[in-house]
Amino acid sequence: MNLLRKILFPFAILYGFITSIRNFLFDFGILKSYSFDVPIIAVGNLSVGGTGKTPQIEYLIRLLSPKYEVATLSRGYKRQSKGFILANSSSNAEILGDEPFQFYSKFKDIQVAVDADRKNGIEKLLSQTDKPNVVLLDDAFQHRKVKAGFYILLTSYGDLYSDDFLLPKGNLRENRGGAKRANVIIVTKCPENLSLDEQNKIKSKLKLEANQELYFSFIDYEDSVYSEDKIMKVSEIKNVDKLLLAGIAKPEPFFAYLQIEKDEKLVFPDHHHFTKNDLLEIKNKSQNKLIITTEKDYVRLKGKLSKEQLFYLPIKSKFISAAENFDKTITNYVGTSTRNR
């Protein structure tokens, strides 16, 4: 592995040079960024892989949707469609992508759209009669063509961007200096009991700008699992024969929360498209067992496996402390913004 990293080092330097030039062109207006007359919040990261963007977007939806007309706009990673699509009753995970379809399935009072071209997607949303007054951009930190009014940067505990390196040697999509564009930085997937001393050590490593706020969050698993028409307590299924299935980045905490020694588990790549052979394997291994999966996988598996067997475990992002400060920062931005600057 060390040898491979040494071999890839020159390519990482080249990649860093290219992304730095791109950011320079946007920073100095040579490449144009577009602003819009509604508050736009971009949530993203510097690295590839799972940093908890989906539960953070859902946190913002819960915070803002009681008061504002909210829309989410995602690329729709691995969807089997192209262009701008606004979710409706005929949408599914194949058309929207798993995460946008999850938003649409859970939050009936918001608009959910996908478009790889975020500028075009926002224009389409705002051209509607029933247009939103807040847009949440999912995984758009590097999408510089749109200038959001507020940026939330996520970085995983134990895998901080300050300890990482550029692709392909490391996992960074751009230089660490890109973090300066963030208004708020959230260290996600922390231990729930993360000490103040360790929080301060991480803060020191991240080298925040004077105007930036730092928060620490953890993944909170519900105490129940859900099927299409049934709810069961995790304590009920703990000792029941079950197959645990995950096609997400870094699924270990999911397995650790549910698994006992006799449980079988299946691991698939993040955003995996389940083939006929995959479904056959799942059915063969789950005979006379419950199938417990993640919420993101559930939206791709629903209707393809027995609804009596298939359950999902919901999660939420929660702050270790100062949640009210974060909420106030977001609501103040949305409430006072008439135009992104």
Side-chain angles (χ1 to χ4, degrees), residues 98-143:
D98 49 16
E99 291 161 345
F101 186 60
Q102 180 176 318
F103 300 150
Y104 178 73
S105 301
K106 290 178 73 171
F107 303 101
K108 298 303 183 183
D109 296 329
I110 71 167
Q111 296 181 14
V112 176
V114 292
D115 197 335
D117 183 342
R118 303 305 208 285
K119 173 181 175 288
N120 181 69
I122 295 170
E123 288 172 345
K124 293 282 189 183
L125 283 168
L126 298 182
S127 68
Q128 303 176 104
T129 303
D130 186 23
K131 63 183 181 181
N133 45 38
V134 181
V135 178
L136 305 178
L137 294 183
D138 179 23
D139 195 14
F141 199 79
Q142 283 77 36
H143 201 91

Side-chain angles (χ1 to χ4, degrees), residues 224-232 290-293 298 302 306-314:
S224 296
V225 294
Y226 298 77
S227 72
E228 191 172 334
D229 52 17
K230 189 175 181 181
I231 302 173
M232 296 180 70
L290 296 180
I291 304 169
I292 315 295
T293 190
Y298 180 80
K302 184 180 177 183
S306 165
K307 70 176 185 178
E308 284 74 28
Q309 284 181 284
L310 185 63
F311 288 76
Y312 67 91
L313 175 68

Side-chain angles (χ1 to χ4, degrees), residues 190-208:
C190 296
E192 190 173 348
N193 60 350
L194 186 68
S195 69
L196 186 59
D197 183 56
E198 189 165 3
Q199 291 178 39
N200 287 332
K201 287 179 181 177
I202 292 172
K203 183 176 181 179
S204 178
K205 291 176 75 172
L206 295 180
K207 296 181 171 58
L208 272 64

